[in-house]
Amino acid sequence: MATSSRAIALICILGSLFMVTSAQRCLSHTFTSNRVFSSCADLPYLQAHLHWNYVPSTRKAEIAFRVSQASEGWIAWAINPTSTGMAGSQALVAFHNSNGSMTAYPTPITSYSPSMLPGALSFQVSNLSAEYIEDEMTIFAIVGPLDHATSLSHVWQAGSSVSSNIPNMHATSGEHLQSMGKLNFLSG
Ligand SMILES: *[C@@H]1O[C@H](CO)[C@@H](O)[C@H](O)[C@H]1NC(C)=O
Ligand SMILES: *[C@@H]1O[C@H](CO)[C@@H](O)[C@H](O)[C@H]1NC(C)=O
């Protein structure tokens, strides 16, 4: 075996080890209250992770979206049914209410300066809740029926502050502008 092909073989092995390792990071996460998710993805930006159980017969997904976040910050996860990126996306947001408890609600992102007030989404949302444990904020919800669940555009975000129980604008640089992608609820 020539040195170069051995080197290529080694690179391939290391590459697949890396993929296995990164695929298992979110799978090893355990949730409180006996919640178990069969699939997950370590999202590439903002230290975010999405976990889900998708039921093809109902086209509903039970999701958990968790992000490393400071106590005074907020997190949001959204599906964009009509486009990519923020505008038009259908979001779930969570943060610490001023009374100290975690709050979560749906909010449609109708423009680049959305109200961030609670509102109905274009798909059903149920069992919505949030928690803050070990410097991580997590949103739990059941979403759907969903169209195109094998090729969804999703977008996620994290912001550093909340005023009067309304999330303030997130940073508009770096990972905050990259945090979107495609999602296949049937894979993984
Ligand atoms: C905090 O405020 C929210 C929204 O008004 C309310 O639903 C929740 O019950 C409150 N929690 C506590 C602990 O008072
Ligand atoms: C969703 O909420 C309903 C009503 O509270 C409950 O019966 C059901 O078990 C919940 N589903 C999940 C997956 O938590």
Side-chain angles (χ1 to χ4, degrees), residues 11-166:
I11 288 166
C12 291
I13 290 166
L14 288 175
S16 55
L17 280 177
F18 175 75
M19 286 176 68
V20 166
T21 309
S22 60
Q24 282 173 343
R25 263 179 57 214
C26 59
L27 281 176
S28 67
H29 183 81
T30 53
F31 290 90
T32 54
S33 43
N34 300 322
R35 293 179 196 264
V36 176
F37 296 88
S38 58
S39 305
C40 69
D42 294 310
L43 302 178
Y45 304 109
L46 302 175
Q47 300 183 71
H49 312 269
L50 185 69
H51 301 253
W52 68 89
N53 296 315
Y54 180 68
V55 181
S57 60
T58 59
R59 295 185 291 126
K60 291 186 179 193
E62 179 188 7
I63 64 105
F65 171 71
R66 61 186 177 90
V67 185
S68 298
Q69 179 60 295
S71 174
E72 65 274 19
W74 58 267
I75 64 168
W77 176 78
I79 288 173
N80 192 327
T82 54
S83 183
T84 57
M86 174 179 159
S89 67
Q90 306 289 304
L92 306 174
V93 64
F95 52 86
H96 276 106
N97 191 286
S98 55
N99 67 17
S101 61
M102 281 298 288
T103 187
Y105 58 76
T107 180
I109 308 297
T110 52
S111 73
Y112 283 103
S113 54
S115 74
M116 298 304 285
L117 292 169
L121 303 189
S122 64
F123 47 80
Q124 287 174 39
V125 179
S126 64
N127 300 58
L128 182 57
S129 66
E131 65 182 24
Y132 189 66
I133 293 178
E134 291 175 354
D135 299 324
E136 271 191 344
M137 265 181 206
T138 304
I139 297 172
F140 299 99
I142 296 174
V143 293
L146 296 172
D147 295 327
H148 316 297
T150 57
S151 176
L152 282 175
S153 289
H154 72 141
V155 51
W156 61 98
Q157 199 50 262
S160 56
S161 66
V162 174
S163 300
S164 306
N165 292 326
I166 306 289

